[in-house]
Amino acid sequence: MKTKCLIIGSGPAGYTAAIYASRANLSPVEYCGMQPGGQLTQTTEVENFPGYPNGVDGNQMMMDIREQAERFGTDIRDGMITRVDFSSRPYKAWDDSGQEIEAETVIIATGASAKYLGLDDERKYNGMGVSACATCDGFFYRKKTVAVVGGGDTACEDALYLSGLCKKVYMIVRKNYLRASKVMQQRVMERENIEILFEHNTLGLFGEDGVEGAHLVKRKGESDEQVVDIAIDGFFLAIGHKPNTDIFKEWLETDEVGYLKKIDGTPKTKIPGVFVAGDCADPIYRQAISAAGTGCQAAIEAERFLLNAT
């Protein structure tokens, strides 16, 4: 199968790229991946995306944007791209059924996956008190008590952000120190409503219709090991994200974590005609609106590339 534009991944970046590519008559083919709609499909309500004054269910928003892409003619397919060959144009990709796709341009919008602790309760309370995005969901916990898991810069940033909204913020830190930069450590230490629980691990969560508290263990494995319960309304994970970029690492440059590198802040990569959009190339903002913006940019760049290539 041949296409002018192959979009790998859905979510705000992939679907927005599809809208723009379709309207530019590129007749894009889009593969949705393992999680059609991306991370937002795990979010109950989105309040910070323009155009939804009363908020919107994450799944509904992704369905709306997908429908918009389909209306302009995007060929949206279920399934995953499992292998690519960017050695020469047209570029080649293979899906999980073995079908080969030849593409003049490729937009990679495979996103990133939040790291979880691996507790059953994280799944049980997903969208009911468990979140991996403080800036997305913190607003729902105004004047409430929450916990942030992690001890790096991201955890400190999340704790500081939440401390401006919440009555109290616990930081659950496995080590007896913070891994964050000195300036972030200082800010967290100075914030009155943040309490750092050093040498604590999370055993589980509890609550009837949502998270009401967490079971912790202090100094696990030591002679003075102690089980501690804290009362919380929200449980935020801040132990990092893993960009879904493994199949591209042979061809494209990444940072040490795996985020795809852009050229001069554009969606361009070192391979002409291969572009990136969304969280797979964004370790900083990771918001639906910024992902959608880069999807737009990638599609415009793909259109320009094809105009100049003919």
Side-chain angles (χ1 to χ4, degrees):
M1 187 194 73
K2 297 183 178 182
T3 180
K4 290 180 184 176
C5 180
L6 171 65
I7 300 169
I8 306 174
S10 45
Y15 286 150
T16 302
I19 290 168
Y20 276 78
S22 296
R23 295 183 78 250
N25 290 326
L26 302 189
S27 304
V29 173
E30 178 175 19
Y31 274 82
C32 286
M34 277 183 66
Q35 191 177 29
Q39 292 182 76
L40 276 188
T41 57
Q42 294 185 315
T43 303
T44 48
E45 190 164 1
V46 179
E47 286 195 328
N48 56 3
F49 198 93
Y52 295 98
N54 298 312
V56 61
D57 175 82
N59 276 290
Q60 184 60 52
M61 189 175 94
M62 288 299 93
M63 285 165 57
D64 289 346
I65 304 177
R66 175 178 174 141
E67 189 178 318
Q68 195 171 354
E70 287 178 317
R71 182 164 77 88
F72 292 117
T74 303
D75 179 356
I76 298 181
R77 303 182 173 198
D78 293 326
M80 292 179 63
I81 297 297
T82 56
R83 185 163 65 95
V84 296
D85 181 351
F86 293 160
S87 58
S88 61
R89 284 185 64 230
Y91 302 120
K92 294 181 176 65
W94 291 264
D95 67 18
D96 45 11
S97 70
Q99 180 174 9
E100 180 181 317
I101 304 104
E102 286 190 1
E104 295 297 320
T105 61
V106 177
I107 296 173
I108 299 167
T110 47
S113 301
K115 293 180 182 175
Y116 285 80
L117 297 173
L119 304 171
D120 288 339
D121 289 339
E122 288 172 317
R123 287 193 298 272
K124 178 181 177 182
Y125 293 106
N126 191 19
M128 299 167 59
V130 171
S131 171
C133 184
T135 50
C136 307
D137 299 327
F139 190 73
F140 301 115
Y141 297 91
R142 285 170 300 168
K143 297 185 171 60
K144 295 184 177 181
T145 300
V146 300
V148 174
V149 182
D153 279 333
T154 299
C156 288
E157 286 173 14
D158 286 359
L160 288 164
Y161 173 78
L162 291 165
S163 71
L165 296 167
C166 302
K167 181 173 68 178
K168 184 179 178 75
V169 179
Y170 291 104
M171 287 188 72
I172 302 170
V173 183
R174 281 189 307 129
K175 308 281 188 183
N176 62 354
Y177 59 89
L178 293 171
R179 290 182 294 103
S181 58
K182 294 295 182 190
V183 65
M184 293 303 294
Q185 290 186 41
Q186 186 175 349
R187 287 174 187 168
V188 163
M189 301 281 194
E190 290 173 353
R191 194 63 61 94
E192 287 184 3
N193 62 337
I194 296 177
E195 180 179 343
I196 306 172
L197 303 175
F198 288 112
E199 295 184 278
H200 281 69
N201 284 272
T202 307
L203 296 174
L205 304 169
F206 60 88
E208 289 297 317
D209 299 316
V211 171
E212 294 175 10
H215 301 300
L216 310 177
V217 58
K218 182 179 180 181
R219 289 179 56 79
K220 185 178 180 181
E222 302 296 326
S223 58
D224 57 349
E225 177 182 306
Q226 182 183 357
V227 175
V228 180
D229 284 358
I230 57 171
I232 54 173
D233 304 291
F235 184 78
F236 288 85
L237 291 136
I239 53 177
H241 284 71
K242 184 185 185 304
N244 305 318
T245 57
D246 287 350
I247 67 169
F248 308 111
K249 287 181 178 176
E250 180 184 349
W251 308 101
L252 299 174
E253 294 179 0
T254 68
D255 68 9
E256 64 277 6
V257 178
Y259 287 97
L260 295 170
K261 287 188 176 181
K262 305 175 182 181
I263 294 178
D264 298 330
T266 71
K268 298 176 183 177
T269 68
K270 69 174 187 177
I271 298 179
V274 176
F275 307 97
V276 293
D279 286 13
C280 65
D282 178 12
I284 299 171
Y285 301 107
R286 296 197 302 268
Q287 298 296 302
I289 190 66
S290 54
T294 58
C296 159
Q297 293 170 1
I300 290 173
E301 290 290 355
E303 181 189 8
R304 288 174 179 169
F305 175 83
L306 289 171
L307 282 172
N308 292 326
T310 52

